[in-house]
Amino acid sequence: MPDIALRHDGMAAFPLRPQAAESKGRAAQADSGFYAALDLGTNNCRLLVGTPSPQGFRVVDSFSRIVRLGEGLTATGRLSQPAMDRAMSALSACADKLGRRPLRGFAAVATEACRRAANGSEFLARVNRETGISPRVICAREEAQLALASCSPLLQPHDRRAILFDIGGGSTEIAWVRLNGGAPELAGTISIPVGVVTLAEREGDSCFTREGFEAVRDEVAEKLAAFDAVHCIGQEIRQGGVRLIGTSGTVTTLAGTVMDLPRYRRQWVDGVCLDAAEADEALETLFRMGRQGLAAHPCVGPDRADFVLPGCAVYAAIRQLWPVSRLTVADRGLREGMLMRLIQGDRGRAPRRPWC
């Protein structure tokens, strides 16, 4: 497994769950140094286990499963029983993995689906009862900060600013980042309640048509226009030195398509810098494939075929509003940011409180 570079200012570690807290002393004595982070999102449940390394941390185990926790949420305002059962199955698998190693630190978060659902807290109480895992619901700004923590090693010394975007299942987060020769700082964030799951449910087959795709693109661009105006992002882009970083399945799929990969592998994609025109061509290629073609695509597959074009429509809006000539692709996100927090906390960096 590859090392992940660790480079960010110190942030507060999350509390350990009881099982992890009890094992902390044993872990220190054994010098195992295992840390784990779990991200329960609207579409996916992901776990990452790592140990500290001079460059940051080394991944020793991981887990990712599409659970579609937010399925039907837009229509009902609640998490459905089948969606919760799928998520519980994945979380139980994560709990089994966590029980195999004594942990020095553990973090678990839940995002948009649990933020919005009327029964989100009830579901998380069930998660705790049945698995011992206690995901903490975080706000959109903290999502952006965690994503920045994980993606900051992709920034370069000549960058003045950066746009970091994450097209999730239930929402899309944008971070406007300022670099002044030191650690990157969040200058502003926005979260819009538009993600690949919510769009796929709302639009149905519409995103597979040119008219429907462009309508979603224009809707998202309109939602982001005020944020662009407040921070004068277009003007900053014209001055140069602005990096565009995407961390989501949408951009990794675009990268895999540009690179014509026979199968998706994280190490081939994470950190790749694409010419934006190449990404545009890849988007057109994916659009022309239709649902059956996407299901057969080696970087998509049948489980994600319905979500790719809604995500591409959101990306097209970002590209239309902020025409940066290069796209940096990140296959990293909240889990990596949480591991960095935990490791930095143990290394004695100054703690920082969460924003919400």
Side-chain angles (χ1 to χ4, degrees), residues 58-277:
R58 183 176 66 87
V59 177
V60 297
D61 200 1
S62 64
F63 174 91
S64 180
R65 184 182 297 176
I66 294 174
V67 297
R68 304 192 310 280
L69 180 60
E71 185 178 60
L73 176 60
T74 300
T76 67
R78 297 178 63 84
L79 304 176
S80 71
Q81 193 62 50
M84 290 189 289
D85 289 343
R86 287 192 300 266
M88 284 302 309
S89 175
L91 288 162
S92 295
C94 291
D96 288 343
K97 283 181 174 288
L98 292 168
R100 296 172 191 169
R101 296 180 176 89
L103 299 178
R104 287 182 64 89
F106 174 65
V109 300
T111 56
E112 182 69 9
C114 290
R115 280 199 298 262
R116 291 177 54 194
N119 59 339
S121 59
E122 178 184 333
F123 169 65
L124 293 179
R126 175 190 171 190
V127 171
N128 181 247
R129 285 195 310 271
E130 297 185 16
T131 69
I133 297 171
S134 299
R136 180 170 65 87
V137 179
I138 60 173
C139 65
R141 183 173 177 85
E142 190 169 354
E143 277 195 66
Q145 185 64 45
L146 287 170
L148 177 58
S150 65
C151 292
S152 60
L154 300 177
L155 298 169
Q156 300 299 318
H158 59 270
D159 294 334
R160 295 189 310 108
R161 303 284 189 271
I163 305 164
L164 173 61
F165 66 91
D166 182 0
I167 304 169
S171 62
T172 295
E173 275 69 47
I174 310 284
W176 177 235
V177 182
R178 180 185 298 114
L179 295 95
N180 293 317
E185 300 175 353
L186 274 183
T189 64
I190 185 173
S191 177
I192 58 174
V194 176
V196 298
V197 174
T198 52
L199 284 173
E201 290 186 354
R202 192 190 78 184
E203 299 296 323
D205 290 337
S206 180
C207 278
F208 289 86
T209 70
R210 184 69 63 181
E211 181 180 6
F213 184 95
E214 292 178 353
V216 170
R217 178 201 64 194
D218 294 344
E219 173 195 344
V220 173
E222 183 177 353
K223 290 180 183 296
L224 296 175
F227 183 76
D228 171 71
V230 166
H231 295 285
C232 303
I233 298 175
Q235 179 179 337
E236 294 282 1
I237 291 171
R238 288 189 290 273
Q239 293 177 11
V242 176
R243 181 172 296 274
L244 181 66
I245 304 177
T247 169
S248 68
T250 298
V251 293
T252 58
T253 300
L254 289 173
T257 303
V258 169
M259 300 165 72
D260 196 23
L261 297 180
R263 64 187 186 281
Y264 186 82
R265 295 290 294 275
R266 178 191 183 279
Q267 59 265 39
W268 294 343
V269 170
D270 183 48
V272 164
C273 193
L274 303 177
D275 186 285

